[in-house]
Amino acid sequence: MKYSIKSIKTNLTTLIGKTVTLQGWLYAKRSSKKIHFLQLRDGADILQCVVGVDDVNADIFEMTDKLDQETSLIVKGEVRKDDRSPLGFELGVSNVEIIASVTRDYPISPKEHGVAFLMDHRHLWLRSKRQQAILKIRASIITAIRTFFEKEDFTLVDAPILTSNSCEGTSTLFNLEYFGQNAYLTQTGQLYMEAAAMALGKVYCFGPIFRAEKSKTRRHLTEFWMAEPEVAFYKLDDVMDLAEDMLCYIVSHILDTNIRELTVLERDIDALRKTCKPFPRISYDEALEILKQHGKDTVFGKDLGADEETIISKQFDRPVMIHRYPAECKAFYMARDPQNNKLSLGVDVIAPDGYGEIIGGGEREHRLDVLEKTMEEMSIPKDTLEWYLDIRRYGSVPHGGFGVGLERTVAWICDIKHVREAIPFPRTMERLTP
Amino acid sequence: MKYSIKSIKTNLTTLIGKTVTLQGWLYAKRSSKKIHFLQLRDGADILQCVVGVDDVNADIFEMTDKLDQETSLIVKGEVRKDDRSPLGFELGVSNVEIIASVTRDYPISPKEHGVAFLMDHRHLWLRSKRQQAILKIRASIITAIRTFFEKEDFTLVDAPILTSNSCEGTSTLFNLEYFGQNAYLTQTGQLYMEAAAMALGKVYCFGPIFRAEKSKTRRHLTEFWMAEPEVAFYKLDDVMDLAEDMLCYIVSHILDTNIRELTVLERDIDALRKTCKPFPRISYDEALEILKQHGKDTVFGKDLGADEETIISKQFDRPVMIHRYPAECKAFYMARDPQNNKLSLGVDVIAPDGYGEIIGGGEREHRLDVLEKTMEEMSIPKDTLEWYLDIRRYGSVPHGGFGVGLERTVAWICDIKHVREAIPFPRTMERLTP
């Protein structure tokens, strides 16, 4: 019978007093002359294994004393009740066998390391408690996003990564040769989702996105994941409702399933609990007013940067929605406000505590003539986007959606300062390895 | 109150006789002098809307007669019981309003079109019943894969797309300039999953994969999705058990949730129902024997191609597992069979009916010295894979996993001949648009 720490915990009452065998790695060790306390991690949990000098033969006791961190082990012992352990039990060891020793000094010791060093050893750093907690919360957030959209009758439609069209600014495009043609790595799946929404009504994609940003801020990765819902017949208010519902669902799911990991990360859980409806919805004009009150004069027409977003987010205890930006701040496909043609029907959702924009979206321009005119004004090349214009040629309808950045959402929920820890293998301007 | 065809169906008993408004597109039309039957699709369903000459004013009756396919409409009418409809109701129309007409002839008429033409209009082709059925089954298969791994306590760990290392053959790599460095698009997430499995025990990734294959077969895409589980302490038999359990789970989920779509596709559902444990498990040697019996002499050491896979798959009514291939057919990281050093502990799973290999995997070589020797023999550059070798330097343990190709699995389950229909926006050697 194969045991894991979790399976023992699940069947604890029947296993107390029984002898079991576990496989795993040595996470940490504390020793005295007569006893070694081994922290054995098996991938899912960490268990205290107690090696007493009288319980194993002398060779094994000595060998155990010399074990390096991350040595892989087979440990045999008796399951013993232990009320001080969060698991409720420990292992009284009768035998320890080495699967493989550590051939060099394990580079990540409990002492402090610089971030560059840790990132160079990302493949090993993932073994630490803190990084595992982040990865588990990331996986839970992904599950929550997918479950939310499925529950709301969305169909997942994967957008392509390799495209022949660019639309979010050509300066941040990665390009490559594709059998003699020029191809780009996708910057957004939105255009494809608009086509799919005309077919299936409610759709979303969820995949990696690429932006060759020459920026070294704590909010930027060159490769990150984004979920992008798009819905036929949605107006700006519907888009805001959907974003709000989704974020509340994510946070509620994490509070239900990941308290253990949030605790490892020392996340302020009460602050997170405030993520409830309704979120404040302020217009760009109102945002400028708030900035002015805090000594920051921003000219109408300028997009809000990280500093501005931080000031605004600090006025509220939950995510805040800023809508109706000046049209010139937003992409060519944004619908204009019928009340004021200078404004776009776009919305950004800003996370609390300065984590910045986690969602951007809005209503799309669905009138062919207006869209063509804007593309001309903004010098967007039409030839590779004829297919996109077809959406407006064949039964066009109002529609809208948004993109939610996964890593920024993870950074906010985990309360980590830099998005590079929010993805298993980060890619930045200066990092392509491991 | 906003209605959808689905919401009416759900609340049918209370809505019979009530007037509702629906939005959607004209899917098809059948007319006589006194009556028009409009098939209105709203993304999720198609509803028959009956326009009687005496029920609407004359202008609207005439306008309705001229409606083009895919015109977007607002239709108002009374919910009427209709036992012949699969929905159980139809709409007795009192008003029709055009949201947007069709500015050119809709290119995809009910007549037959060539595949190249349909693929050029993929953004519109998605609106057809058949393509929608495939997309919905694809989405369900993805849900099934993710649910299966979550249920089995796997943690999702996204592998990077941009990498500095190549390992599945440099001839099929896409490469690009990355801030002055050379980067590749990933061909597999496996190496990263091996690192993650040492941290979290049971992990999987699920994302797009790229292979610049100069091949025009019906089984190849340059961009496709792959799920790749990897588990610490797994041996070849565990890998085969996992693959078998996953495929049974997927098929059972599709049979539970997508009978409607399978019916649209005219899939032989009884054949699909045979996907139950146990799957036949034959060695490469036994596979050669079967091929010989069917007049195909294959030399030991040669990988099995599409023709060979088809012959073997036709001997069985469910997926077949072929294990212990000659080591020279498999990648450098495959473990050798301790019983016969010429064989690798790899396994391929071949779908029924000639759909080919849908899974490839096996046990990995976990001994540093053996792995380094093989890399030397196979001329695999070590410099960009030092991090991968670290996995064997710091508490190496036996481990294994596999990759399941999403599009081939979709093609098999949907019974479609070419994988290009199994992905929303296919990319092949000759296709980068729309």
Side-chain angles (χ1 to χ4, degrees):
Chain A
M1 168 92 196
K2 272 185 198 170
Y3 290 102
S4 65
I5 299 173
K6 186 181 168 184
S7 74
I8 296 173
K9 195 182 174 211
T10 310
N11 303 293
L12 191 57
T13 46
T14 60
L15 286 173
I16 292 278
K18 297 271 180 356
T19 296
V20 299
T21 301
L22 285 170
Q23 297 177 308
W25 296 265
L26 183 65
Y27 191 67
K29 185 168 58 86
R30 197 160 49 82
S31 287
S32 69
K33 272 189 184 167
K34 296 198 164 174
I35 201 158
H36 304 307
F37 295 97
L38 312 182
Q39 302 293 324
L40 185 78
R41 63 169 193 86
D42 73 350
D45 295 277
I46 296 179
L47 177 67
Q48 172 154 290
C49 303
V50 184
V51 188
V53 68
D54 299 330
D55 302 330
V56 295
N57 76 44
D59 291 353
I60 290 182
F61 191 78
E62 204 187 84
M63 177 269 278
T64 308
D65 191 32
K66 292 179 191 143
L67 286 176
D68 290 308
Q69 187 186 347
E70 288 301 320
T71 306
S72 49
L73 301 170
I74 300 172
V75 181
K76 192 172 162 184
E78 183 190 323
V79 178
R80 292 198 300 224
K81 202 160 179 299
D82 177 12
D83 292 335
R84 291 158 306 176
S85 158
L87 292 161
F89 68 99
E90 62 174 23
L91 205 70
V93 176
S94 53
N95 196 25
V96 179
E97 197 185 316
I98 293 177
I99 302 171
S101 50
V102 168
T103 60
R104 299 176 181 180
D105 274 350
Y106 188 68
I108 304 177
S109 57
K111 71 169 187 191
E112 288 270 325
H113 296 284
V115 171
F117 178 86
L118 290 170
M119 279 295 167
D120 285 342
H121 295 87
R122 185 66 174 165
H123 53 294
L124 301 174
W125 192 21
L126 297 180
R127 303 183 185 188
S128 81
K129 259 188 205 171
R130 190 179 147 80
Q131 296 307 314
Q132 297 208 358
I134 297 170
L135 289 185
K136 283 183 183 171
I137 291 175
R138 177 188 164 97
S140 283
I141 291 173
I142 294 169
T143 298
I145 292 173
R146 294 189 180 269
T147 309
F148 173 79
F149 287 120
E150 279 170 33
K151 178 176 79 63
E152 299 290 327
D153 288 327
F154 284 67
T155 303
L156 174 70
V157 179
D158 294 303
I161 308 300
L162 295 167
T163 71
S164 58
N165 40 259
S166 60
C167 69
E168 295 275 328
T170 46
S171 63
T172 58
L173 274 173
F174 285 112
N175 69 318
L176 67 154
E177 204 224 290
Y178 186 87
F179 302 106
Q181 287 182 71
N182 194 27
Y184 303 105
L185 298 186
T186 186
Q187 296 176 299
T188 168
Q190 180 198 315
L191 277 54
Y192 294 95
M193 289 309 100
E194 290 186 54
M198 301 300 124
L200 290 151
K202 301 169 95 174
V203 298
Y204 77 107
C205 62
F206 197 170
I209 293 290
F210 302 86
R211 299 208 182 155
E213 305 210 51
K214 287 201 186 70
S215 118
K216 298 184 192 174
T217 83
R218 64 188 178 83
R219 292 179 180 183
H220 286 94
L221 296 165
T222 54
E223 174 182 324
F224 59 97
W225 285 65
M226 191 151 76
E228 294 177 88
E230 190 74 27
V231 189
F233 306 107
Y234 260 31
K235 312 287 272 180
L236 178 60
D237 283 342
D238 302 313
V239 172
M240 291 200 274
D241 291 345
L242 185 71
E244 190 179 57
D245 285 342
M246 184 198 68
L247 289 176
C248 292
Y249 186 87
I250 294 173
V251 170
S252 151
H253 178 83
I254 296 303
L255 290 170
D256 279 351
T257 58
N258 295 93
I259 290 292
R260 185 172 128 178
E261 286 77 24
L262 292 170
T263 308
V264 169
L265 298 171
E266 297 173 340
R267 177 58 162 112
D268 179 346
I269 292 171
D270 286 334
L272 206 52
R273 275 190 214 284
K274 290 181 181 140
T275 313
C276 294
K277 292 208 284 189
F279 294 173
R281 299 181 183 194
I282 63 172
S283 69
Y284 173 87
D285 281 333
E286 290 166 317
L288 291 198
E289 202 50 51
I290 291 173
L291 291 171
K292 202 173 168 186
Q293 283 163 20
H294 290 81
K296 187 114 189 162
D297 268 320
T298 307
V299 189
F300 179 93
K302 196 178 160 291
D303 204 357
L304 305 181
D307 290 351
E308 285 92 346
E309 286 173 359
T310 301
I311 293 170
I312 292 164
S313 75
K314 289 203 183 297
Q315 312 311 311
F316 304 98
D317 64 354
R318 61 198 74 191
V320 50
M321 301 186 168
I322 308 176
H323 55 80
R324 292 182 172 77
Y325 280 73
E328 66 235 62
C329 300
K330 294 291 173 188
F332 71 93
Y333 46 69
M334 279 292 185
R336 299 292 174 105
D337 187 352
Q339 311 291 317
N340 179 347
N341 194 48
K342 286 191 173 158
L343 301 179
S344 76
L345 293 175
V347 59
D348 285 355
V349 184
I350 315 295
D353 304 318
Y355 282 100
E357 182 198 328
I358 47 175
I359 287 180
E363 208 177 309
R364 322 303 183 186
E365 179 53 63
H366 75 286
R367 294 162 300 178
L368 181 63
D369 52 345
V370 180
L371 185 64
E372 283 185 315
K373 193 161 159 277
T374 310
M375 286 173 75
E376 221 155 273
E377 284 167 11
M378 292 192 173
S379 306
I380 307 283
K382 268 176 62 181
D383 52 336
T384 55
L385 288 173
E386 281 298 330
W387 69 271
Y388 179 68
L389 294 172
D390 273 356
I391 302 171
R392 278 75 179 171
R393 289 185 184 117
Y394 302 108
S396 189
V397 302
H399 60 284
F402 62 79
V404 53
L406 177 62
E407 285 72 17
R408 288 190 185 179
T409 304
V410 172
W412 159 49
I413 290 178
C414 290
D415 190 19
I416 49 183
K417 293 302 164 220
H418 197 300
V419 286
R420 68 188 159 204
E421 280 185 62
I423 186 166
F425 296 94
R427 297 294 181 248
T428 60
M429 194 182 152
E430 291 170 320
R431 175 162 301 282
L432 185 62
T433 54
Chain B
M1 169 87 197
K2 272 186 199 167
Y3 290 101
S4 65
I5 300 173
K6 185 181 170 185
S7 74
I8 297 172
K9 193 179 176 215
T10 309
N11 302 293
L12 191 56
T13 46
T14 59
L15 287 172
I16 292 280
K18 298 273 183 352
T19 296
V20 299
T21 301
L22 285 170
Q23 297 176 309
W25 296 265
L26 183 65
Y27 191 69
K29 186 167 58 84
R30 195 159 51 81
S31 286
S32 69
K33 273 188 182 169
K34 297 196 164 176
I35 201 159
H36 305 306
F37 295 97
L38 312 181
Q39 302 294 324
L40 184 79
R41 63 169 194 87
D42 73 350
D45 295 278
I46 297 179
L47 178 67
Q48 171 153 289
C49 302
V50 185
V51 189
V53 68
D54 299 330
D55 303 329
V56 295
N57 77 42
D59 291 352
I60 289 182
F61 190 79
E62 203 186 270
M63 177 270 278
T64 307
D65 191 32
K66 292 180 190 141
L67 287 175
D68 290 308
Q69 187 188 347
E70 288 301 319
T71 306
S72 49
L73 301 171
I74 301 172
V75 181
K76 192 174 163 183
E78 185 191 321
V79 179
R80 291 199 300 224
K81 204 162 178 298
D82 178 11
D83 292 334
R84 291 158 306 176
S85 158
L87 292 161
F89 68 100
E90 62 175 23
L91 205 71
V93 175
S94 53
N95 195 27
V96 178
E97 197 184 315
I98 292 177
I99 302 170
S101 50
V102 168
T103 60
R104 300 177 181 178
D105 275 349
Y106 188 68
I108 304 177
S109 57
K111 70 168 188 195
E112 289 271 325
H113 297 283
V115 171
F117 178 86
L118 289 169
M119 279 295 166
D120 285 342
H121 296 86
R122 184 66 173 166
H123 53 295
L124 302 174
W125 191 21
L126 297 181
R127 302 183 186 189
S128 79
K129 260 187 205 171
R130 189 179 149 79
Q131 296 306 313
Q132 296 207 0
I134 296 170
L135 289 184
K136 284 183 183 171
I137 291 176
R138 177 188 164 97
S140 283
I141 291 173
I142 294 169
T143 299
I145 291 173
R146 293 187 180 270
T147 310
F148 173 79
F149 287 121
E150 280 171 31
K151 179 175 78 62
E152 299 291 326
D153 288 326
F154 283 68
T155 303
L156 174 71
V157 178
D158 294 304
I161 309 299
L162 295 167
T163 71
S164 58
N165 41 260
S166 60
C167 69
E168 295 275 328
T170 47
S171 63
T172 59
L173 275 174
F174 285 113
N175 69 316
L176 68 154
E177 204 224 289
Y178 186 86
F179 301 108
Q181 289 182 69
N182 194 28
Y184 304 105
L185 298 186
T186 186
Q187 297 176 299
T188 169
Q190 180 200 313
L191 276 54
Y192 294 95
M193 290 309 99
E194 290 186 54
M198 301 302 123
L200 290 151
K202 300 169 96 175
V203 298
Y204 77 106
C205 62
F206 196 170
I209 293 291
F210 302 85
R211 301 208 181 154
E213 305 210 51
K214 287 199 189 72
S215 118
K216 298 184 193 175
T217 83
R218 62 188 179 83
R219 292 178 179 184
H220 285 95
L221 296 165
T222 54
E223 174 183 325
F224 59 98
W225 286 64
M226 192 151 75
E228 295 177 87
E230 190 75 27
V231 189
F233 306 108
Y234 260 32
K235 312 288 270 179
L236 177 60
D237 283 341
D238 301 314
V239 172
M240 292 201 274
D241 290 346
L242 185 72
E244 189 179 59
D245 284 342
M246 183 199 69
L247 288 177
C248 291
Y249 186 87
I250 294 172
V251 170
S252 150
H253 178 83
I254 295 303
L255 290 170
D256 279 352
T257 57
N258 294 93
I259 290 293
R260 186 172 126 177
E261 286 76 23
L262 292 171
T263 308
V264 168
L265 299 172
E266 299 174 339
R267 176 61 161 108
D268 179 346
I269 293 172
D270 287 333
L272 207 52
R273 274 191 216 285
K274 290 183 181 139
T275 312
C276 294
K277 292 208 284 189
F279 293 174
R281 299 182 183 192
I282 62 173
S283 69
Y284 173 86
D285 281 332
E286 289 166 317
L288 292 198
E289 202 49 52
I290 291 173
L291 290 171
K292 201 173 168 186
Q293 282 161 22
H294 290 81
K296 187 114 189 161
D297 267 319
T298 307
V299 189
F300 179 94
K302 196 177 159 289
D303 204 358
L304 305 181
D307 290 352
E308 284 93 347
E309 287 172 359
T310 301
I311 293 170
I312 292 163
S313 74
K314 289 205 183 295
Q315 313 312 312
F316 305 98
D317 64 354
R318 63 198 73 192
V320 50
M321 302 187 168
I322 307 176
H323 55 79
R324 293 181 171 78
Y325 281 74
E328 65 234 63
C329 300
K330 295 292 172 186
F332 70 92
Y333 45 70
M334 279 293 185
R336 299 293 174 104
D337 187 352
Q339 312 291 318
N340 180 348
N341 194 49
K342 286 190 172 158
L343 301 179
S344 76
L345 293 174
V347 60
D348 286 355
V349 184
I350 315 295
D353 305 317
Y355 281 100
E357 182 197 328
I358 49 175
I359 288 179
E363 207 177 310
R364 322 303 183 187
E365 179 54 63
H366 74 287
R367 293 162 300 178
L368 180 63
D369 52 345
V370 180
L371 185 63
E372 283 186 315
K373 193 163 158 274
T374 310
M375 286 173 76
E376 222 156 90
E377 283 166 12
M378 292 194 173
S379 307
I380 306 283
K382 268 176 64 180
D383 53 336
T384 55
L385 289 173
E386 282 298 330
W387 69 270
Y388 179 68
L389 294 172
D390 273 356
I391 302 171
R392 277 75 179 172
R393 288 185 184 117
Y394 302 108
S396 188
V397 303
H399 60 285
F402 62 79
V404 53
L406 177 62
E407 285 72 16
R408 289 190 185 178
T409 305
V410 172
W412 159 49
I413 289 177
C414 290
D415 191 18
I416 48 183
K417 294 300 163 221
H418 197 300
V419 287
R420 69 189 157 204
E421 281 185 60
I423 187 165
F425 296 93
R427 297 294 181 248
T428 59
M429 192 182 153
E430 290 169 322
R431 176 161 302 279
L432 186 60
T433 55

